[in-house]
Amino acid sequence: MRTLELFAHPVRLRIVHALRGGRVLPTSRLAELVPDVSKATVYRHVEALAAGGVLEVADERRVRGAVERRYRLSRERADVDPAEAAALSPDEHRAAFTAALAALAAEFDAYLDRDGSDPASDPVGYRQHALWLSPDELAALLADLRAAIVPHLKHQAGPGRDRYLLSPILFPSETAPADEFADGPGPDGPAVPE
């Protein structure tokens, strides 16, 4: 099964996200991290991800007479290959995006259901901005975002660190007609996000 097909299910995608950041977890802990999904379903999806090479067994140990496996992401298979992504049809992109949105919605529901969650005081954001960018401006924005995010991907779990999900989504939404902004941005100037 191709990596993308493995990721095309919201539960499998949530399991992959739960292991990002260098985590090594047993299936029982993964089930705790996706409490809205039955343990049997989590175990089935962990097995599918392991069979597909996305997860690898980090170690095994005896727990109450049974063998417990702890899993980590496979560095080679934990991301969709750019060539595979480039070969996707529009319907395959649609299915992948839908799975990603479903996983994100489920993660947000799990956050809201957690004791003590407070979207008003926690740094929760889900704002959408419309940006008009030339190809060079888009390339610069993406480079800036990478420069801001990549150093933080190396942080390990530890005291004083909480885990946050950051889910940038970017796609072109329209091309402006040539005459739409003929007179400039308007009397109020350009709209600047808060």
Side-chain angles (χ1 to χ4, degrees):
M1 186 180 296
R2 295 183 313 169
T3 303
L4 182 68
E5 291 169 7
L6 287 167
F7 290 167
H9 192 285
V11 173
R12 288 194 292 263
L13 198 53
R14 289 176 68 194
I15 291 167
V16 168
H17 289 319
L19 287 165
R20 291 220 184 264
R23 291 174 107 177
V24 176
L25 301 172
T27 307
S28 59
R29 178 67 177 128
L30 289 167
E32 292 171 7
L33 294 172
V34 287
D36 54 311
V37 178
S38 74
K39 287 182 182 180
T41 299
V42 172
Y43 276 81
R44 189 175 75 245
H45 287 297
V46 165
E47 283 300 315
L49 289 165
V54 173
L55 301 184
E56 57 190 28
V57 176
D59 58 48
E60 296 179 340
R61 61 184 180 186
R62 286 228 168 257
V63 177
R64 292 184 292 272
V67 175
E68 178 186 71
R69 290 183 182 98
R70 294 184 341 131
Y71 293 93
R72 67 175 160 239
L73 292 176
S74 164
R75 292 180 187 216
E76 297 82 34
R77 297 280 313 227
D79 292 306
V80 176
D81 178 81
E84 184 179 350
L88 296 178
S89 71
D91 284 342
E92 289 172 318
H93 276 289
R94 191 173 288 113
F97 188 71
T98 299
L101 289 178
L104 184 61
E107 291 290 349
F108 192 68
D109 282 344
Y111 157 74
L112 291 174
D113 291 342
R114 195 169 59 228
D115 287 340
S117 68
D118 184 2
S121 64
D122 291 338
V124 172
Y126 40 85
R127 179 174 286 160
Q128 187 176 51
H129 302 284
L131 307 171
W132 295 97
L133 302 169
S134 71
D136 289 343
E137 291 166 334
L138 175 59
L141 172 65
L142 293 174
D144 289 347
L145 288 172
R146 280 186 201 99
I149 295 169
V150 168
H152 300 284
L153 295 175
K154 297 173 185 163
H155 296 178
Q156 298 296 315
R161 282 201 172 127
D162 294 325
R163 190 167 184 260
Y164 292 87
L165 293 179
L166 179 63
S167 304
I169 298 171
L170 175 74
F171 57 90
S173 66
E174 65 180 286
T175 300
D179 63 345
E180 191 168 315
F181 295 103
D183 295 328
D188 298 326
V192 177
E194 298 173 5

